[in-house]
Amino acid sequence: MNKPIVAIVGRPNVGKSTLFNKIAGSRISIVEDTPGVTRDRIYADCEWTGRQFTLIDTGGIEPYSSDIIVSQMRRQAQLAIDTADVIVVLVDGREGLTASDYEVANMIRKSNSPVVLAVNKIENKELEKNIYEFYNLGLGDPMSISAEQSLGLGDFLDQVVDSFPKSDASLEEDTRLKIAVLGKPNVGKSTLVNKLLGEERVIVSDIPGTTRDAIDSSFKYYGEDYVIIDTAGLRRKNKIYDDIERYSILRSITAVERADVCLIMVDANDGVSEQDTKIAGLAHNRGKAAIIVVNKWDDVSKDNASMKKFEKDIRDKLVFMSYAPILFISAKTGQRLSKIMETVLLVSNEHSKRITTGTLNEVVGEAVLMNQPPSDHGRRLKIYYVTQGAVKPPTFIIFVNEKDLMHFSYERFLENQIRNAFGFIGTPIKFIIREKKD
């Protein structure tokens, strides 16, 4: 059985993200005093008294607002409510009951899931009396908590896990393939994610920077389970004006850390920018399998040579990522989207590929005969043998006489020979140079 899902909902600025972070045990969701900061559902795997569950933080519900972003946040919260096994309704004990709280309660009543009503910001006994007016919501007994000061959270979490569906099997480690979607703001990441998922899971808007948090969504492809991570668009550092943007970038970097495969999205209208290079470098430096996805290809005026010219430009500017396949797509129209998962599985397999030591040394031996190792002041590099030490990324240990003699250009030559022999499409290769005495 899947982990129970717990959704935290409520009007803006009642402390949903603070509560989420306390339960998750880390700063996963953005916390700011600015109402409306949490725009998408944020997921975290949590545990309380041995019971595992998935916690969802939602954007604040503003029933009366006609703002396009706010209305989409409302729809996102409704999606979370519809999928939740337990709904936590959070209200502000300091501010008291509001008309928006009544509207949120009306949304919740349409769900058949158990509800836990938590009155936040109750930091002392004097404020305890404020909880009684929340009986008027008709959502059961209100519980007093202070998310910021961790008051009452134990009893609150006991109530949450007691509300779980009764059959809860032991859960194994999550081994699903994780795909991170990276790129500048407004490159079409959320549109692509929604197309691949077949449902509107993340906010889509032509306003740059709409997705501020990294959002995990699970889906099936030919019967297998996968996770796709839609990340906040990465901006140049000099364009990071506030803490909210800074947290988003940190979250995108951690999304790369968690991912097995990175889709690096480039806008066909803009070409490869300096920021695209930095984003690609994040995946490359962390040894992740990668695919370069050129989006909005339907917007470009083309001739027979357009694709080749664009591909050459990518290879020139992302020279360190020559191993990455390039796909030209339109997330909006669905053009060539079928190629994405096919290529994801290809590079994932290459990322995990292991070569036997004997076969590897045959290829390296032929390479040494073809191109003699470098020398310095009469001392020549000798390669004794090579073995593969790890996968994800493929890591090769080269035993030599003197590692100072290994020039980066010869290392690149050996990498090319290994790639020619074994492929390793879509994955960086790492070399560790050791002297035989080591």
Side-chain angles (χ1 to χ4, degrees):
M1 182 179 174
N2 291 331
K3 296 178 185 178
I5 295 174
V6 179
I8 305 173
V9 299
R11 60 183 176 81
N13 227 26
V14 294
K16 295 184 297 298
S17 294
T18 304
L19 176 61
F20 178 87
N21 290 332
K22 283 288 184 184
I23 298 171
S26 60
R27 191 170 184 136
I28 295 172
S29 185
I30 297 168
V31 178
E32 277 291 320
D33 288 336
T34 312
V37 165
T38 305
R39 293 177 169 184
D40 288 297
R41 289 177 291 167
I42 314 300
Y43 295 71
D45 292 325
C46 304
E47 185 176 338
W48 180 253
T49 60
R51 306 290 298 277
Q52 294 182 327
F53 59 96
T54 299
L55 188 65
I56 306 175
D57 184 21
T58 65
I61 303 171
E62 294 189 69
Y64 308 110
S65 175
S66 59
D67 179 270
I68 183 171
I69 293 290
V70 172
S71 64
Q72 290 204 51
M73 286 163 62
R74 191 162 56 239
R75 288 163 62 194
Q76 294 289 40
Q78 185 63 60
L79 279 170
I81 291 165
D82 293 342
T83 57
D85 296 296
V86 179
I87 300 166
V88 173
V89 178
L90 198 65
V91 292
D92 188 330
R94 283 185 174 274
E95 194 170 335
L97 193 58
T98 68
S100 292
D101 291 325
Y102 279 109
E103 290 301 320
V104 171
N106 289 336
M107 285 178 67
I108 301 304
R109 268 190 280 273
K110 296 172 186 174
S111 167
N112 294 321
S113 299
V115 174
V116 177
L117 175 59
V119 184
N120 193 24
K121 306 182 186 179
I122 305 295
E123 281 93 17
N124 54 56
K125 289 283 185 185
E126 182 63 28
L127 293 169
E128 281 280 352
K129 62 180 183 295
N130 293 359
I131 73 170
Y132 297 109
E133 66 175 317
F134 291 99
Y135 276 101
N136 293 318
L137 293 176
L139 296 176
D141 296 335
M143 302 187 71
S144 63
I145 67 167
S146 170
E148 190 164 299
Q149 296 187 18
S150 302
L151 298 175
L153 293 191
D155 291 341
F156 161 74
L157 285 169
D158 285 343
Q159 182 66 42
V160 168
V161 298
D162 285 347
S163 304
F164 288 167
K166 295 308 173 191
S167 55
D168 185 12
S170 60
L171 294 150
E172 297 178 359
E173 184 185 349
D174 187 358
T175 57
R176 296 172 297 176
L177 184 74
K178 296 176 182 64
I179 307 157
V181 185
L182 308 172
K184 297 183 300 186
N186 209 31
V187 75
K189 297 183 297 299
S190 297
T191 304
L192 174 61
V193 169
N194 287 337
K195 282 282 187 181
L196 291 175
L197 294 173
E199 63 171 295
E200 192 170 329
R201 187 72 67 90
V202 292
I203 293 173
V204 176
S205 170
D206 58 4
I207 304 168
T210 305
T211 304
R212 284 179 169 174
D213 290 289
I215 305 150
D216 290 12
S217 301
S218 57
F219 69 102
K220 281 188 180 289
Y221 179 75
Y222 284 100
E224 294 293 326
D225 290 318
Y226 299 90
V227 174
I228 193 160
I229 308 166
D230 182 26
T231 62
L234 295 176
R235 301 176 185 271
R236 291 173 183 264
K237 281 192 178 178
N238 61 4
K239 290 188 178 178
I240 303 169
Y241 294 114
D242 54 29
D243 285 342
I244 297 170
E245 197 71 55
R246 195 170 294 111
Y247 298 147
S248 297
I249 288 175
L250 177 63
R251 199 150 300 102
S252 294
I253 292 169
T254 56
V256 173
E257 295 282 6
R258 291 191 294 120
D260 300 297
V261 177
C262 294
L263 304 183
I264 297 154
M265 293 189 71
V266 175
D267 192 322
N269 297 299
D270 301 336
V272 180
S273 67
E274 181 186 351
Q275 190 63 5
D276 291 321
T277 306
K278 290 178 180 177
I279 292 167
L282 274 178
H284 175 77
N285 292 335
R286 285 162 176 77
K288 303 298 180 177
I291 302 166
I292 299 164
V293 180
V294 182
N295 191 29
K296 306 182 186 180
W297 191 241
D298 56 318
D299 287 351
V300 177
S301 299
K302 298 178 279 291
D303 57 35
N304 292 335
S306 296
M307 196 174 282
K308 284 187 178 178
K309 285 178 184 173
F310 206 103
E311 188 167 336
K312 184 180 183 305
D313 183 56
I314 290 172
R315 295 302 183 203
D316 288 345
K317 291 178 178 173
L318 300 180
V319 66
F320 58 88
M321 201 173 259
S322 58
Y323 53 81
I326 301 172
L327 299 178
F328 293 83
I329 69 153
S330 169
K332 190 167 143 185
T333 67
Q335 181 184 15
R336 297 193 191 91
L337 288 196
S338 60
K339 288 282 184 185
I340 289 180
M341 281 306 297
E342 181 184 316
T343 312
V344 163
L345 295 181
L346 168 66
V347 302
S348 174
N349 288 334
E350 297 285 291
H351 200 219
S352 305
K353 185 186 284 185
R354 191 176 284 279
I355 310 299
T356 62
T357 299
T359 307
L360 185 59
N361 280 278
E362 283 179 21
V363 169
V364 172
E366 289 177 10
V368 169
L369 290 174
M370 188 189 315
N371 183 3
Q372 282 291 307
S375 62
D376 183 37
H377 295 96
R379 297 175 300 133
R380 185 172 292 280
L381 175 71
K382 288 182 183 177
I383 297 176
Y384 295 116
Y385 68 98
V386 184
T387 186
Q388 185 173 354
V391 295
K392 295 184 178 181
T395 302
F396 299 98
I397 305 169
I398 304 177
F399 288 89
V400 300
N401 58 336
E402 294 182 58
K403 56 186 176 185
D404 291 343
L405 295 174
M406 176 66 84
H407 195 269
F408 76 88
S409 60
Y410 198 74
E411 202 172 301
R412 178 62 58 86
F413 164 73
L414 291 176
E415 178 181 336
N416 290 337
Q417 296 307 304
I418 288 172
R419 287 190 185 279
N420 289 340
F422 305 114
F424 291 113
I425 299 163
T427 176
I429 287 176
K430 183 180 177 184
F431 286 119
I432 297 172
I433 313 300
R434 285 187 184 161
E435 293 182 4
K436 196 173 182 183
K437 61 187 178 186
D438 295 337

